[in-house]
């Protein structure tokens, strides 16, 4: 397959799966091309926001271990008198890790008096406001169950989308010329299959949990706690729990936590867990140390990529869930380029990043920016796989800055019509380089600063 690259696209009807940040950005850039006749956004929740749409009650579903990208999706909760709810991974007290000037969409600043690292509540309000002019395109409380590929009489790819309105329960099938998969990747948890973990969980079903289920530190008061993982959420959750738990909280890691962050958490760093000890309600770490009578183990070990509604697509998009296969630039399906996946890369600034991606595929489908040949796109993927290794979608520091500015300049040079993508000036690129340290200072200072300068970070332009 893949013959479409050599010809013109004939995209008129587009389905967007998900009304989170990447789905909303996709809609705005597609609309700006003024050539697409029908754009529909399917959203399973009753409001926009994706992962930022907070649910006080977490999911009731927990699989231990959980290493499969084909794990069934968590069923929704059914709050009385309200539409079905799919709990998000957000917790009660959460601020972004990204300064607001860097995080915001290019055409919508955060309110001027906002905290420099906005709260999750403000981010959700911001997204609801951002979506105001496209709400009429969104089918809320509608679950996409299946997306099937077929060819029309001229050999062009068509996508049959089965959508289930959760209130009526009657599936509808509609055919689209293109599909934007903006369904996010913070839903299918990853909990490694450590020796004896399944037996431990069966014997002690209330000890192991995942950060997706975390909401507040109070349930961990005076308990002996291990947090596994020191990415952003692991550090944040460990710091919250450490304030109320037995001392010291143990932070189990593969690579060392920066000393300043470890001091802020108030934790003792230990190696990865090698084995669970069922009788002792304990664990053995990789250095041989044993800890017994553990009350809680929180896995902040992230999520797997999974697309349950694209299971019929061959070859499969995922195998172990660590990578999405068959994509050019982490975005466009090589064999079927009317299928795109914005928002996959990890360790990027997501809102402007997905704007940049949307600027690419909206112009491509409008026949303004041609794609390379399928062979050249496949060559790119193979070469990147060699360079990146197993952490395929984890981008290097400043990788997003380079991508955003390179694409902006490329599109400006092309002279193509459409919505202009973001551009980061030198000060924003500087912010991208220092925000990890700035966020720590924000926490230490009591989460009240409204500027980086208040935290001791001052931009000094380089002399030209």
């Amino acid at each position: 397959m893949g013959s479409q690259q050599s010809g013109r696209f004939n995209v008129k009807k587009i389905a967007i799966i998900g009304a989170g940040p990447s789905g909303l950005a996709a809609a705005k850039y597609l609309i700006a091309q003024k050539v697409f006749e029908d754009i529909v956004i399917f959203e399973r929740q009753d409001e926009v926001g994706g992962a930022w749409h907070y649910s006080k009650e977490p999911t009731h579903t927990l699989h231990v271990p959980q290493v499969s990208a084909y794990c069934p999706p968590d069923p929704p909760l059914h709050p009385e008198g309200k539409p079905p709810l799919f709990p998000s991974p957000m917790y009660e007290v959460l601020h972004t890790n990204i300064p607001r000037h860097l995080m915001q969409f290019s055409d919508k600043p955060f309110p001027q008096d906002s905290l420099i690292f906005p709260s999750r509540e403000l981010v959700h309000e911001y997204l609801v406001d951002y979506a105001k002019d496209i709400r009429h395109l969104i089918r809320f409380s509608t679950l996409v169950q299946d997306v099937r590929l077929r060819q029309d009489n001229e050999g062009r790819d068509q996508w049959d989308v089965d959508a289930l309105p959760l209130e009526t329960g009657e599936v509808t099938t509609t055919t689209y010329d293109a599909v934007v998969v903006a369904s996010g990747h913070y839903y299918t948890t990853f909990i490694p299959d450590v020796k004896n973990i399944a037996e431990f969980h069966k014997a002690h079903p209330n000890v192991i949990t995942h950060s997706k289920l975390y909401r507040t530190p109070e349930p961990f008061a005076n308990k002996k706690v291990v947090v596994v993982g020191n990415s952003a959420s692991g550090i944040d959750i460990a710091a919250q729990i450490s304030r109320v738990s037995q001392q010291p909280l143990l932070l189990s890691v593969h690579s060392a936590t920066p000393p300043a962050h470890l001091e802020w958490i108030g934790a003792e760093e230990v190696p990865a867990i090698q084995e669970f000890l069922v009788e002792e309600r304990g664990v053995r770490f990789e250095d041989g140390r044993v800890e017994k009578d553990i009350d809680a183990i929180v896995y902040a070990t992230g999520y797997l990529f999974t697309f349950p509604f694209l299971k019929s697509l061959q070859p499969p998009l995922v195998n172990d869930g660590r990578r999405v296969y068959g994509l050019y630039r982490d975005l466009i399906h090589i064999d079927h380029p009317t299928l795109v996946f914005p928002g996959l890369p990890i360790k990027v600034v997501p809102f402007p990043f997905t704007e940049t991606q949307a600027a690419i595929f909206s112009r491509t489908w409008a026949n303004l920016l041609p794609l390379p040949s399928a062979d050249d796109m496949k060559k790119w993927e193979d070469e990147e796989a060699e360079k990146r290794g197993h952490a395929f979608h984890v981008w290097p520091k400043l990788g997003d800055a380079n991508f955003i500015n390179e694409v902006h300049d490329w599109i400006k040079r092309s002279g193509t019509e459409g919505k202009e993508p973001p551009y980061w000036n030198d000060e924003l690129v500087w912010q991208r380089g220092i925000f990890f340290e700035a966020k720590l200072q924000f926490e230490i200072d009591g989460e009240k600063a409204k500027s980086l300068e208040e935290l001791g970070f001052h931009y000094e332009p380089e002399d030209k």
Side-chain angles (χ1 to χ4, degrees):
M1 301 301 297
S3 61
Q4 287 196 351
Q5 286 87 269
S6 59
R8 288 174 60 82
F9 289 97
N10 187 30
V11 173
K12 299 298 181 187
K13 296 180 63 175
I14 301 170
I16 300 172
I17 303 173
S22 59
L24 299 175
K28 297 211 174 190
Y29 279 79
L30 290 165
I31 290 167
Q33 294 306 134
K34 299 180 181 177
V35 296
F36 306 117
E37 295 173 359
D38 187 20
I39 299 169
V40 176
I41 307 171
F42 295 100
E43 172 52 56
R44 63 181 184 170
Q45 306 277 34
D46 65 348
E47 186 51 274
V48 304
W52 291 98
H53 183 37
Y54 178 67
S55 55
K56 191 168 185 177
E57 186 175 1
T59 179
H60 299 170
T61 305
L62 179 68
H63 303 278
V64 180
Q66 203 324 84
V67 295
S68 172
Y70 296 93
C71 179
D74 294 353
L77 306 180
H78 294 275
E80 190 172 347
K82 295 182 180 179
L85 174 70
F86 294 85
S88 86
M90 292 282 154
Y91 38 97
E92 180 68 29
V93 178
L94 183 149
H95 291 83
T96 70
N97 301 312
I98 305 166
R100 58 183 171 86
H101 303 95
L102 196 62
M103 182 173 181
Q104 65 198 20
F105 289 114
S106 60
D107 57 352
K108 183 174 179 59
F110 277 97
Q112 199 57 38
D113 63 345
S114 306
L115 296 175
I116 188 63
F117 293 96
S119 67
R120 63 158 180 81
E121 296 94 333
L122 179 63
V123 176
H124 188 244
E125 290 171 13
Y126 172 89
L127 291 171
V128 171
D129 198 50
Y130 180 72
K132 275 183 178 176
D133 59 342
I134 54 173
R135 284 187 80 90
H136 63 286
L137 303 178
I138 306 173
R139 298 183 186 175
F140 289 107
S141 297
T142 301
L143 181 66
V144 172
Q145 289 191 318
D146 198 22
V147 177
R148 296 179 302 282
L149 171 68
R150 62 180 174 83
Q151 277 71 44
D152 66 11
N153 294 334
E154 298 177 4
R156 292 185 183 276
D157 287 349
Q158 299 278 278
W159 303 94
D160 294 330
V161 176
D162 291 351
L164 173 68
L166 296 171
E167 293 185 21
T168 67
E170 296 179 10
V171 176
T172 61
T173 302
T174 310
T175 302
Y176 295 91
D177 303 309
V179 175
V180 179
V181 180
S183 51
H185 50 83
Y186 296 108
Y187 291 98
T188 302
T189 57
F190 171 70
I191 297 179
D193 190 4
V194 179
K195 183 178 180 181
N196 296 334
I197 190 172
E199 295 84 351
F200 182 98
H201 184 60
K202 186 175 181 181
H204 312 288
N206 297 316
V207 173
I208 296 174
T209 187
H210 188 277
S211 59
K212 182 182 178 182
L213 283 72
Y214 174 80
R215 290 297 183 269
T216 65
E218 282 74 23
F220 301 90
N222 303 313
K223 291 185 176 180
K224 185 174 183 177
V225 180
V226 179
V227 173
V228 180
N230 61 347
S231 64
S233 62
I235 287 174
D236 203 17
I237 290 170
Q240 292 188 14
I241 292 176
S242 179
R243 305 294 181 263
V244 301
S245 67
Q246 279 186 30
Q247 298 300 309
L249 177 143
L250 301 179
L251 185 64
S252 172
V253 303
H254 284 289
S255 56
T257 309
H261 285 78
L262 194 62
E263 182 181 353
W264 163 245
I265 296 168
E268 179 182 349
E269 193 166 83
V270 292
I273 297 172
Q274 184 179 65
E275 178 183 6
F276 280 83
L277 308 173
V278 179
E279 296 297 324
E280 297 92 333
R281 204 174 79 231
V283 298
R284 177 178 287 109
F285 297 104
E286 287 184 344
D287 63 355
R289 173 177 171 175
V290 170
E291 288 289 339
K292 302 177 182 179
D293 300 316
I294 295 172
D295 298 306
I297 301 172
V298 182
Y299 271 94
T301 41
Y303 300 84
L304 300 176
F305 294 106
T306 181
F307 307 98
F309 46 83
L310 277 166
K311 52 186 175 289
S312 64
L313 190 64
Q314 295 297 325
L317 291 163
V318 296
N319 51 37
D320 63 0
R322 302 297 188 93
R323 173 185 164 190
V324 185
Y325 288 85
L327 303 187
Y328 177 60
R329 299 280 179 175
D330 299 55
L331 175 64
I332 298 171
H333 197 280
I334 294 170
D335 287 339
H336 307 289
T338 51
L339 181 67
V340 295
F341 297 82
L344 295 183
I346 298 166
K347 295 193 176 178
V348 301
V349 177
F351 294 11
F353 187 90
T354 55
E355 276 193 271
T356 300
Q357 292 181 309
I360 295 172
F361 62 75
S362 62
R363 285 169 169 81
T364 297
W365 290 345
N367 296 302
L368 297 176
L369 290 178
L371 289 173
S373 69
D375 287 344
D376 284 348
M377 290 194 286
K378 182 62 180 165
K379 181 182 178 185
W380 177 91
E381 186 190 25
D382 291 342
E383 290 174 350
E384 288 299 308
E386 284 286 318
K387 285 192 285 189
R388 299 185 190 184
H390 72 278
F392 187 85
H393 295 296
V394 179
W395 279 36
K397 190 170 184 177
L398 296 180
D400 48 3
N402 295 332
F403 175 75
I404 285 169
N405 286 355
E406 286 170 8
V407 170
H408 174 273
D409 292 349
W410 171 49
I411 286 178
K412 289 288 280 187
R413 286 194 307 271
S414 75
T416 53
E417 295 180 0
K419 188 172 170 63
E420 183 178 337
Y423 180 83
W424 284 355
N425 61 24
D426 290 346
E427 184 173 358
L428 289 176
V429 174
W430 168 79
Q431 287 190 17
R432 181 64 182 91
I434 58 91
F435 74 63
F436 186 66
E437 294 78 12
K439 174 65 187 301
L440 174 61
Q441 195 59 47
F442 175 79
E443 301 283 351
I444 292 171
D445 285 6
E447 301 176 341
K448 59 182 184 294
K450 295 187 176 182
S451 70
L452 290 172
E453 289 76 14
E454 290 176 55
L455 300 173
F457 293 84
H458 299 270
Y459 172 66
E460 297 180 4
E462 294 184 14
D463 293 331
K464 295 295 185 183

